[in-house]
Structure formats: C-alpha cells, structure tokens
Amino acid sequence: MVVTRFAPSPTGFLHIGGLRTALFSYLWARKNKGRFLLRIEDTDLARNSEEATKAILEAFEWVKMERDGVIEYQSKRFDIYAEYIDKLLANGDAYYCYMSKEELDALREEQQKRGERPRYDGRYRDGKLPPKEGVAPVVRIKVPTSGSIVFDDGVKGRVEFGADQLDDFIIARSDKTPTYNFVVAIDDRLMGVTDVIRGDDHLSNTPKQIAVYQAFGWEIPRFFHVPMILNGEGKKLSKRDGATNVMDYRANGYLPEALLNFLARLGWSHGDQEIFSREELLEFFDPKDINRSASAFNASKLLWINHEHIKAQSDDRLIETLKNDFDADLSGFENQSKLLKLCKEKAQTLTALAIEAKKFVLRPTSYNPKDLSRVTEDNLAIVERFLDFAALRQDFHGAIEEFLKIENIKMPQLGKPLRIAVFGEASGAGLVETLEILGIKEIKIRLQALKKCVK
Ligand code: GLU
C-alpha cells in the first residue's frame, strides 16, 4: 500500500509550493488506492500558530483534497519521541554530549582555520570523555563514520552523501526537546509512510533522517524531492510575482481545479497535454514524470487554464459558486444559460464573470455621467421604436440591420443609448446577445428608468 503525507510547518498561510507537493502526494496515494495523511509539524512553538493550521485546513477543503485518518500534531507527540530517544541511548546508538557553546565555537573556528567544514568531532562518542557535573547534556545520534548514505530519489536519481558530510547530530536538545530531523523520521515510520514527496529544499535533511532509520534498523521509504517553483527570472517565488497564498486565488476568482491543474503542470508533464480534469490527473499522475529542473511560475498561463476550466464548468456549479463567493445571485434570472454562455466566453476569472453577469442581472442604479450627458430624447425615441420593431421578430440580427436601414442611422446611434439604458454605460455586450439574454420587456423597463434621467 502506498502511504504519503503532507507535513506542513504551520508558520503562515498555505503557500502554492506547499499545495503542489501536497497535490503530488495526494494524487499518488489516491491513484494507488493508498492513504494520504496530514501531519502538522508544530514543534517550533514560537513560530507556529493555530491560525496557520486552520488556514491550511481551509485551503485543503477548498481544493477538496480529502485526507485519511486523523491529523497528527507533532506538538502532542513529545512522549513518543522521548521513548525513541531513550531506546537509542539504551542501545548505544545515541549518547549524551556535554560540550558547551564556547567549546563548539572554538572547535568550529579551528576547523575553519584548517579549511575544513565545521562539524562535531564526536568527542563524547563511546564514552571518550566523562560526563560533566551540573551540565544538562544534549543527545547525539551516532552516524556512520565511513562510507556513505545512498538512496535512489524518485526524481533526482541516485543521491549520495559521504560520511564526511555528516556528523553525530543532535536529536534532543539540553531541555530534552527533540530536533526536527529526528521527529520527521520517527513520525514517517510510525505513520507507515512509504513515499515521501517534498520540496528539494529538504534534500540535505534526508541523509540525517535516513541515519535515524538505520539506527533503528528500519526500512527507508522512497523519496521524491520536487524542484522548487521559481519566478520568471529564475529566482525564488515571492509575493511580487503574484499571490503565493492559496486562498488568495479563491478570492481572485480562480477555480480550485484550475489551480490544481496549473500546479500539477508546474514541474510535471504528461505528453503535451495542458488541461487536466481531476480524474485525468488521477489517471495519469506518476512521480516518475516530475521534472528534474525547477519550474517557472507563469501567471498568464494560470489565467488561461482558469478560463478553460470556467468554460468547462456546469452552469449549476457556477451559479452556486457565484452566489456563495462572489455575491452574484443568478437564481431568479430567466435566461441563465444564455447569460452564462456569454460570460464564460468573456471572463477568465470568476471575479470578472460575476461583474459581467451582474450587469445583466441587476438594473443600473446610476449612469456614467459622461455617457448620460450625451443621451437625448431623440436617441431614446430611436431605441423605443427599435424595441417595438424587434419585438415582432425572431431574428434580432436581421432586425437590427433592417431597422438601421429604415431609419438611415448608424449602429452607435442605436447601440450607445440602448447600452446606457441597459448597463448604465455606453460600452458592454453585443446588441444581439443583450436582446437575447434580457428580452425586450426588461430592456423597455430599463429604458423607462433612463428616460426619467434625460431632459
Ligand atoms: N515541515 C516541512 C515544511 O513545511 C516539510 C517536511 C517534510 O515534508 O518532510 O517544509
């Protein structure tokens, strides 16, 4: 069984980079009929907040990435970690180290002088030095002193860290709290995680976590280190490149399936297909197709993908989302599907779609002053005559052409005042679409309202 997990540190909102590794983990578990777990890495009490955990859960709910099992919180598992630290101490695979900060600094300085990489020198290993009275020791794990730690990364291929790149690192601080790499390894093992998919900023942590697995004689999971998302200039993605908070995409009118589609394609591909439904992602996703190099965030591509998903949305779902999230209620509107067809073509985001739809659904409450100042009673009389003329016809397109000929006028002389009446401004949708969506009767009502404002 494939078991994956997403293990965020709740220090802020859910970042789109985080959502992407979560998505890969989710797809891989679901595709294999496995389990997708959620673990909150909240041991850094100073930097973590409950708010952030809530924000992560909210984002998961929005994108409908359901997890399995209960959420594990590392902050509630300290007893478990202490038990495993004791086990290593008892077996002689970990030991107490009494080195002070001054001693560590001195060691580092010496090593740097000799041009060596600073690392702990193992001076308390195997009881080489006696304990110091009155000093609270840290616990260090014994890592191999020769050879190397090798693993086959599912994205990067064979990765090797020589023993000289590792030292006996601290697994419990002097206040007995466990350290990051230790708890990650313990939790992944106890939660039965088989496939660890995470950002490649964690690659250098992996040999340490493997050292923990090896100390316990556990089989190591498969690792997949996913390259970062960069901006167009090849730098780390930041706020300046667009929203990095997943929930901002909701507020800005993106569909969750579009965001997931976009994120999946950032760093993964399936032939040259760009648009994927959730079902297709589930069918085609395989971490072996994750790109080896970093991928660049491209806001206009996201917009395009969003538009494609908006076009593919069912009217019912769109109506529900517009009502719940964008304050646009189409429920009582007669020509819903005609209206949505027009709006779907025009709008790349739900925000734009709501604005467009509301122009039809809501009668104008004010008029663009400049446009209004140009409207004359004669203009309105033309529109009125046209509406009576068009009311007898099926084909609005033909009706417009014929009417312009009969009256010997040009399109703007009809179109502008009609649009001001309908939308409150001279620009807007095409006349035929407007007639078809609103109907003559409604346009007449709006025309009467405009009349009252024209002297
Ligand atoms: N908590 C880590 C983070 O938020 C992820 C750890 C992991 O996936 O192993 O970056």
Coordinates of all heavy atoms in Angstrom, one line a residue, residues 5-11 18 21 39-42 74 180-181 184 188 196-199 201-202 205 209 223 225, ligand 1:
R5 N 2.2 11.5 2.7 CA 1.8 12.5 3.7 C 2.2 13.9 3.3 O 3.1 14.1 2.5 CB 2.3 12.2 5.1 CG 3.8 12.4 5.5 CD 4.8 12.7 4.5 NE 6.1 12.8 5.1 CZ 6.9 13.8 4.9 NH1 6.5 14.9 4.1 NH2 8.1 13.9 5.4
F6 N 1.4 14.9 3.8 CA 1.8 16.3 3.7 C 2.1 16.7 5.1 O 1.3 16.5 6.0 CB 0.7 17.1 3.0 CG 1.0 18.5 2.9 CD1 2.2 18.9 2.2 CD2 0.2 19.5 3.4 CE1 2.5 20.3 2.1 CE2 0.5 20.9 3.2 CZ 1.6 21.2 2.6
A7 N 3.3 17.4 5.3 CA 3.7 17.7 6.6 C 4.1 19.1 6.8 O 5.3 19.5 7.0 CB 4.9 16.8 7.0
P8 N 3.1 20.0 6.7 CA 3.5 21.5 6.8 C 3.9 21.9 8.2 O 3.4 21.4 9.1 CB 2.2 22.1 6.3 CG 1.1 21.2 6.8 CD 1.7 19.8 6.6
S9 N 4.7 22.9 8.2 CA 5.0 23.6 9.4 C 4.1 24.8 9.4 O 4.1 25.7 8.5 CB 6.5 24.1 9.5 OG 7.3 23.1 9.2
P10 N 3.2 24.9 10.4 CA 2.2 26.0 10.4 C 2.7 27.3 10.8 O 2.4 27.8 11.8 CB 1.1 25.5 11.3 CG 1.9 24.7 12.3 CD 3.1 24.1 11.6
T11 N 3.5 28.0 9.9 CA 4.0 29.3 10.2 C 3.3 30.4 9.5 O 3.6 31.5 9.7 CB 5.5 29.3 9.9 OG1 5.6 28.9 8.5 CG2 6.4 28.5 10.7
G18 N 3.7 24.6 -1.4 CA 3.2 23.6 -0.4 C 2.0 22.8 -1.0 O 2.0 21.6 -0.9
T21 N 3.2 20.2 -3.6 CA 3.8 18.9 -3.1 C 2.6 18.1 -2.4 O 2.6 16.9 -2.5 CB 4.9 19.1 -2.1 OG1 4.7 20.2 -1.3 CG2 6.2 19.2 -2.8
R39 N 0.1 15.7 8.6 CA 0.8 15.9 9.9 C 1.2 17.3 10.0 O 1.8 17.9 9.1 CB 2.1 15.0 9.9 CG 2.9 15.1 11.1 CD 4.0 14.1 11.2 NE 5.1 14.5 10.4 CZ 5.7 13.6 9.5 NH1 5.2 12.4 9.3 NH2 6.7 14.0 8.8
I40 N 0.9 17.9 11.1 CA 1.2 19.3 11.4 C 2.5 19.4 12.2 O 2.6 18.9 13.3 CB 0.1 20.0 12.1 CG1 -1.3 19.9 11.3 CG2 0.4 21.5 12.4 CD1 -1.3 20.7 10.0
E41 N 3.5 20.0 11.6 CA 4.9 20.0 12.2 C 5.0 21.2 13.0 O 5.6 22.2 12.6 CB 5.9 19.8 11.2 CG 5.7 18.6 10.3 CD 7.0 17.9 9.8 OE1 7.8 18.6 9.2 OE2 7.0 16.7 9.9
D42 N 4.4 21.2 14.2 CA 4.2 22.4 15.0 C 5.1 22.4 16.3 O 4.6 22.7 17.4 CB 2.8 22.6 15.4 CG 2.2 21.4 16.1 OD1 2.9 20.3 16.1 OD2 1.1 21.5 16.6
Q74 N 2.6 17.2 15.8 CA 3.9 16.8 16.5 C 4.0 17.3 17.9 O 4.5 16.7 18.7 CB 5.1 17.3 15.6 CG 5.3 16.5 14.4 CD 6.5 16.9 13.6 OE1 7.0 18.0 13.7 NE2 7.1 15.9 13.0
Y180 N 14.2 18.5 14.7 CA 13.4 18.4 13.5 C 13.6 17.1 12.8 O 12.7 16.3 12.5 CB 13.7 19.6 12.6 CG 13.0 19.5 11.3 CD1 11.6 19.7 11.2 CD2 13.7 19.2 10.2 CE1 11.0 19.5 10.0 CE2 13.1 19.1 8.9 CZ 11.7 19.2 8.9 OH 11.1 19.1 7.7
N181 N 14.9 16.8 12.4 CA 15.1 15.6 11.5 C 14.8 14.3 12.2 O 14.3 13.4 11.6 CB 16.5 15.6 11.0 CG 16.7 16.6 9.9 OD1 16.0 16.5 8.9 ND2 17.6 17.6 10.0
V184 N 10.8 13.9 12.3 CA 10.2 13.7 11.0 C 10.4 12.2 10.6 O 9.5 11.5 10.2 CB 10.9 14.5 9.9 CG1 10.5 14.0 8.5 CG2 10.5 16.0 10.0
D188 N 7.3 9.6 10.2 CA 7.1 8.9 8.9 C 7.1 7.4 9.1 O 6.2 6.7 8.6 CB 8.2 9.3 7.9 CG 7.9 10.7 7.3 OD1 6.7 11.1 7.4 OD2 8.9 11.3 6.8
V196 N 7.8 9.5 0.5 CA 7.9 10.9 0.9 C 8.1 11.8 -0.3 O 9.1 11.7 -1.0 CB 9.1 11.0 1.9 CG1 9.3 12.5 2.3 CG2 8.9 10.2 3.1
I197 N 7.1 12.6 -0.6 CA 7.2 13.6 -1.7 C 7.3 15.0 -1.1 O 6.4 15.4 -0.3 CB 6.0 13.5 -2.6 CG1 5.8 12.1 -3.1 CG2 6.1 14.5 -3.8 CD1 4.6 11.8 -4.0
R198 N 8.4 15.7 -1.3 CA 8.5 17.0 -0.7 C 9.5 17.9 -1.5 O 10.1 17.4 -2.5 CB 9.1 16.9 0.7 CG 10.4 16.3 0.8 CD 10.8 16.1 2.3 NE 12.0 15.3 2.4 CZ 12.3 14.6 3.5 NH1 11.5 14.6 4.5 NH2 13.4 13.8 3.6
G199 N 9.6 19.1 -1.1 CA 10.4 20.1 -1.9 C 11.9 19.7 -1.8 O 12.3 19.2 -0.7
D201 N 14.3 21.5 -1.2 CA 15.0 22.3 -0.2 C 15.2 21.4 1.0 O 16.0 21.7 1.9 CB 14.2 23.5 0.2 CG 12.7 23.3 0.5 OD1 12.2 22.3 0.0 OD2 12.1 24.1 1.2
H202 N 14.6 20.2 1.1 CA 14.8 19.3 2.2 C 15.8 18.2 1.9 O 16.0 17.3 2.7 CB 13.4 18.6 2.5 CG 12.5 19.5 3.3 ND1 12.7 19.8 4.6 CD2 11.4 20.2 2.9 CE1 11.8 20.6 5.0 NE2 11.0 20.9 4.0
N205 N 18.4 17.3 4.3 CA 17.9 16.7 5.6 C 17.8 15.2 5.5 O 17.8 14.5 6.5 CB 16.5 17.2 5.9 CG 16.5 18.7 6.4 OD1 17.4 19.1 7.0 ND2 15.5 19.4 6.1
Q209 N 17.8 11.9 8.2 CA 16.6 11.1 8.5 C 16.9 9.7 8.2 O 16.4 8.8 9.0 CB 15.4 11.7 7.7 CG 15.0 13.1 8.2 CD 14.0 13.8 7.3 OE1 13.3 13.1 6.5 NE2 13.9 15.1 7.5
F223 N 11.9 8.3 -1.6 CA 11.9 9.7 -1.5 C 11.8 10.3 -2.9 O 12.3 9.8 -3.9 CB 13.2 10.2 -0.9 CG 13.4 9.9 0.6 CD1 14.2 8.9 1.0 CD2 12.7 10.7 1.5 CE1 14.3 8.6 2.4 CE2 12.8 10.5 2.9 CZ 13.6 9.4 3.3
H225 N 12.2 14.2 -4.3 CA 12.4 15.6 -4.0 C 12.1 16.5 -5.2 O 12.7 16.4 -6.2 CB 13.9 15.8 -3.5 CG 14.1 15.3 -2.1 ND1 14.5 14.0 -1.9 CD2 13.8 15.8 -0.9 CE1 14.6 13.8 -0.6 NE2 14.2 14.9 0.0
Ligands
GLU1 N1 7.6 20.7 7.6 C1 8.3 20.8 6.4 C2 8.0 22.0 5.7 O1 6.9 22.6 5.9 C3 8.2 19.6 5.5 C4 8.8 18.4 6.0 C5 8.8 17.2 5.1 O2 7.9 17.2 4.1 O3 9.5 16.3 5.3 O4 8.8 22.5 4.9

